[in-house]
Amino acid sequence: MKILLVRPPRIKQAITVSDFMFAEPLGLEMIYGQFEEHHEVEIFDMMVEKGSLTGRLAKVLPEVVGITSLCIDVFEVLSLCREAKGFNPEITTMVGGTQAFLSPRSFADPSVDYIAEFVDESNLKQLFASLELANVDKPEAEEKIALIPGIRTSFKGFASNGVKGRNQYLLPNRESTSRYRPKYSYFGYKPAAIMEFGTGCAKGCEFCLRWRIEGSEEKLIDRELIKKDLASIQEPTIMLVDNDFFASEQKLRTFFCLVRELKLRKNFIVYASVKGILSYEPLVKEFQDLGLKAVIIGYESFNDTELADYRKKSDTHDNLKVARILEHVGIEVWASFIAHPDWSKEDFRKLRKTVSLLKPQISSINPLTPFPNLPLYEKYKDRLLYPREDYKSWSFGQVMIRPSKLSLREYYYELLITNLYVNLVVNHKTEMIKRYGFRRVIRLAAGSVWNLLRYCRLMINVV
Ligand code: B12
C-alpha cells in the first residue's frame, strides 16, 4: 500500500513553532518505521512544506493518508481529511497523535475513516493487514477492524471498543524526515532531534497534561531500542522530551552509561523537576560533563500556596536553591511560570521580582489553562472564556479563565509587560551572547518577540 503521513501546517495561535522551538514529528517517524518494510511510506511535513496536500496527493497517489494531531490542529486536520476525500473518495483517512488520544471524539467526522486513539506494534499490524484485506473482502475487514484495540471506526460511529491502552514508544526512522531535518530546532539549538528515554510522570501536577498522556508510572523505554535510536541520530543536539529526566538516580545513571558506551558527544536538553534536581544534585555536573546544556524547568509561581494548590512537590525556596545550583554549574535554564487567573497587578509585580532573583535565561509566562482532560477543567468550567470545542484557543498561550481582579485587557497587558521585562530586561543579553553566541541568542529572542506579538494582538482584540 502507499501511505502518506502528514503533519498539519503551523497554527497561528502556537507560540512554540517559531525558529527557536520547532521539533520533528516523532510520532509519524515511528509509524513510518513500522511500515517501511512492507509498504511505500512518505512523510509530508506541512509545517515545513510550502505545497498543498492536493499537490502531494497527485504525486504520490496514496491509498492511505494518516495525519498526526495536537488539540489546536483539530480544524486543520479535518480540513486535510476533507481535502484527501475530495481528491479521491477511495483514500482511507486516519487520524492519530496527542489529540486523538486525549479527545478522539473531536475527529468524529464523515471525512475521517479511523481514529487511532493509541497505537502499539500489535494494533498497527492488525490495522494495516485488515486495510489490505479490505481490497478483497470489505465486510470481513470491517468486522476485524472494529475489534482492534485503540482503533475507532466511522462505521461504528467512532464508539470506543472498550479497550484501554497507551501509545507505545516505537523505534522511529529518522531518515524518513531527512529532507526536513535541517529545519528542526529546539530551544534555539538548530538542527536538533527529539527523543524520549522514559515515559510517564508520578508527580501529577494539577495543570499538567503529560501524566494524563503517558500515565503516572515512570518507566524506562527498552534499552536496546533507545540504543539504536540514539545511535541513529545525526544532529549535534538532542532534546529529551521525558516529563522529568531527573525522576530517579537509576534513570540518570542508565542514560550516562549509554552515552559513554556509544561514545556520544552531543548537546543534551532535558525537562527536569525542581525536586529531581535537588534530589540528584551531584549528578548535574556529571551530566554536564556528558553534554547537558540546558534544562527546561517549571518554577510556576512566586507563591507557596499556589504551588501547593497545583500539587507541585517543591516550594519557592526550592526554586531558588535550584536556580543557584544551575547557575553555579553553568547550565542554561528555560523556566516556565503560570499566570493564575486571580492575580492582581501586585502579583504580576511579585512574579517579575521573583524572575529577577531566579535569573533564568528564558522565561515563558503562560496563563493557567484548565485543559478539558484535567481536574482543573471542572474547577474553572464556569469561568471559561472559550468553549472546549474552540480547539485553536487551547494553545496554553491564551487567557482561558476570566481573571477575577483585573479586566481581560489589563490582564493581557500585565502578561505582555511581564514577558517583555523578564525576557528583554532581566536577561543580560551581552552576557548571553558571549556565552551562547549571537545566532542562538537571536533565535531565542525571536521566540520571545513572537510571544509578545501574540499577547499584543490578543490584548487589542479583547471584546
Ligand atoms: C515535541 C513537542 C512539540 C513539537 C512537535 C509536536 C508534533 N507532534 O508535531 C513542537 C515544538 C512543534 C510543538 C508545538 C506545540 N505543542 Co507540543 N509538545 C511536544 C512534546 C514535548 C513531545 C511530543 C512528542 O513528540 N511525543 C512523543 C511522540 C512519539 O508521541 P505522539 O506524537 O503522540 O506519537 C505517538 C502516537 O500518538 C502515534 N501517532 C502520532 N501521530 C500519529 C498519526 C497516525 C496516523 C497514527 C496511526 C498514529 C500516530 O504514534 C506515536 C506512538 O507512540 C509534548 C509533551 C509530551 N511529552 O507529550 C508537547 C505537547 C504535545 N505540545 C503541546 C502543545 C500545547 C503545543 C503547542 C500548542 C504549544 C504552543 N502554544 O505553541 C504547539 C502546537 C503547534 C502547532 N500545531 O502549530 C501539548 C499538547 C496539548 C494537546 N492536547 O494537544 C503537549 C502535550 C505539551 C503540554 N503542554 O502538555 N510541540
Side-chain angles (χ1 to χ4, degrees):
M1 270 188 305
K2 279 193 187 171
I3 308 167
L4 186 67
L5 299 173
V6 181
R7 170 158 70 172
R10 300 168 185 230
I11 302 288
K12 210 171 65 214
Q13 276 82 347
I15 38 177
T16 48
V17 191
S18 58
D19 197 35
F20 92 117
M21 191 165 167
F22 175 31
E24 64 197 289
L26 191 56
L28 291 185
E29 293 169 356
M30 290 181 182
I31 306 300
Y32 183 106
Q34 291 297 299
F35 297 113
E36 58 180 324
E37 205 182 326
H38 301 294
H39 301 278
E40 257 180 71
V41 202
E42 181 183 315
I43 292 184
F44 186 55
D45 186 350
M46 298 185 77
M47 277 193 190
V48 183
E49 292 277 358
K50 297 275 177 285
S52 70
L53 178 64
T54 302
R56 200 68 212 161
L57 292 172
K59 271 217 161 107
V60 180
L61 298 175
E63 283 130 297
V64 178
V65 170
I67 309 180
T68 193
S69 64
L70 296 183
C71 180
I72 70 170
D73 297 323
V74 171
F75 297 128
E76 191 62 45
V77 169
L78 292 177
S79 139
L80 291 172
C81 287
R82 284 174 203 137
E83 195 176 333
K85 290 284 189 192
F87 177 81
N88 175 4
E90 295 302 311
I91 288 179
T92 300
T93 53
M94 191 184 295
V95 181
T98 304
Q99 180 70 3
F101 173 74
L102 287 174
S103 188
R105 284 247 146 231
S106 46
F107 298 111
D109 183 90
S111 64
V112 179
D113 294 314
Y114 303 105
I115 302 170
E117 194 172 342
F118 61 88
V119 296
D120 52 32
E121 266 167 317
S122 156
N123 76 350
L124 281 173
K125 258 195 201 108
Q126 291 176 57
L127 175 63
F128 279 80
S130 306
L131 289 179
E132 281 190 312
L133 175 69
N135 293 328
V136 193
D137 186 341
K138 202 166 176 197
E140 197 192 330
E142 288 193 346
E143 244 173 67
K144 285 198 161 155
I145 296 175
L147 296 175
I148 303 176
I151 307 297
R152 294 183 181 231
T153 63
S154 52
F155 46 84
K156 288 274 178 190
F158 296 107
S160 161
N161 53 25
V163 188
K164 297 254 174 285
R166 289 199 190 276
N167 284 307
Q168 183 188 352
Y169 195 91
L170 305 160
L171 184 67
N173 181 326
R174 310 264 173 185
E175 279 183 20
S176 60
T177 45
S178 55
R179 66 179 195 275
Y180 307 123
R181 296 195 77 79
K183 298 262 183 207
Y184 297 144
S185 64
Y186 220 89
F187 214 85
Y189 286 86
K190 190 177 179 183
I194 60 167
M195 69 176 294
E196 219 168 332
F197 185 64
T199 58
C201 185
K203 295 180 188 69
C205 298
E206 260 226 320
F207 52 82
C208 184
L209 261 180
R210 302 179 65 174
W211 56 269
R212 284 281 294 111
I213 299 172
E214 293 185 350
S216 305
E217 202 187 335
E218 280 159 4
K219 289 192 223 159
L220 290 193
I221 297 164
D222 176 72
R223 195 178 187 279
E224 285 314 301
L225 188 155
I226 290 293
K227 201 170 152 183
K228 264 196 207 155
D229 195 15
L230 264 175
S232 77
I233 293 176
Q234 304 295 318
E235 285 75 16
T237 301
I238 301 179
M239 164 73 210
L240 292 140
V241 298
D242 302 38
N243 301 304
D244 179 7
F245 210 83
F246 278 71
S248 72
E249 179 168 354
Q250 183 225 353
K251 176 172 183 173
L252 287 159
R253 293 231 174 268
T254 313
F255 185 72
F256 296 172
C257 275
L258 259 177
V259 173
R260 291 193 180 105
E261 198 179 317
L262 291 167
K263 298 192 173 63
L264 293 179
R265 294 179 67 82
K266 303 268 184 200
N267 303 318
F268 295 111
I269 307 171
V270 300
Y271 285 92
S273 67
V274 167
K275 185 171 183 272
I277 301 227
L278 282 180
S279 309
Y280 310 113
E281 182 189 340
L283 300 185
V284 174
K285 181 79 186 75
E286 190 174 341
F287 201 170
Q288 187 186 34
D289 293 339
L290 291 171
L292 180 65
K293 287 285 181 296
V295 167
I296 304 182
I297 202 157
Y299 290 139
E300 324 302 2
S301 178
F302 58 86
N303 176 326
D304 281 330
T305 315
E306 252 167 40
L307 290 179
D309 283 353
Y310 291 149
R311 286 198 265 146
K312 285 291 282 191
K313 309 294 175 283
S314 42
D315 58 22
T316 49
H317 191 64
D318 297 333
N319 286 354
L320 202 55
K321 271 201 257 174
V322 161
R324 291 295 94 91
I325 293 171
L326 296 172
E327 186 184 20
H328 180 71
V329 276
I331 301 273
E332 210 174 314
V333 178
W334 185 19
S336 58
F337 297 89
I338 299 174
H340 195 280
D342 296 334
W343 278 4
S344 60
K345 265 181 183 302
E346 176 59 14
D347 292 322
F348 276 100
R349 198 193 56 76
K350 283 184 188 155
L351 179 74
R352 292 195 285 271
K353 196 165 165 229
T354 302
V355 178
S356 28
L357 278 176
L358 294 168
K359 290 196 280 183
Q361 274 67 43
I362 294 278
S363 309
S364 62
I365 302 147
N366 290 320
L368 180 65
T369 301
F371 224 83
N373 305 75
L374 294 171
L376 273 184
Y377 182 80
E378 287 305 314
K379 188 163 160 187
Y380 288 106
K381 220 162 64 186
D382 300 335
R383 282 172 66 185
L384 284 181
L385 290 162
Y386 303 90
R388 83 183 268 171
E389 294 75 25
D390 191 345
Y391 299 108
K392 282 191 183 171
S393 299
W394 295 88
S395 67
F396 286 88
Q398 197 162 321
V399 180
M400 300 305 285
I401 305 170
R402 186 163 291 286
S404 61
K405 303 208 174 71
L406 296 170
S407 73
L408 191 51
R409 186 164 281 152
E410 283 166 339
Y411 196 87
Y412 270 123
Y413 177 76
E414 288 300 323
L415 272 173
L416 182 74
I417 292 299
T418 308
N419 271 289
L420 193 72
Y421 175 80
V422 301
N423 283 306
L424 305 178
V425 182
V426 170
N427 300 329
H428 305 284
K429 287 283 178 278
T430 36
E431 190 196 305
M432 280 180 72
I433 289 171
K434 254 193 253 152
R435 200 145 145 202
Y436 310 120
F438 188 69
R439 283 167 71 112
R440 281 219 44 235
V441 173
I442 291 297
R443 274 191 207 122
L444 293 171
S448 318
V449 171
W450 179 274
N451 205 1
L452 293 175
L453 291 175
R454 277 183 69 257
Y455 283 135
C456 260
R457 194 168 35 81
L458 285 162
M459 188 178 76
I460 292 161
N461 292 341
V462 160
V463 274

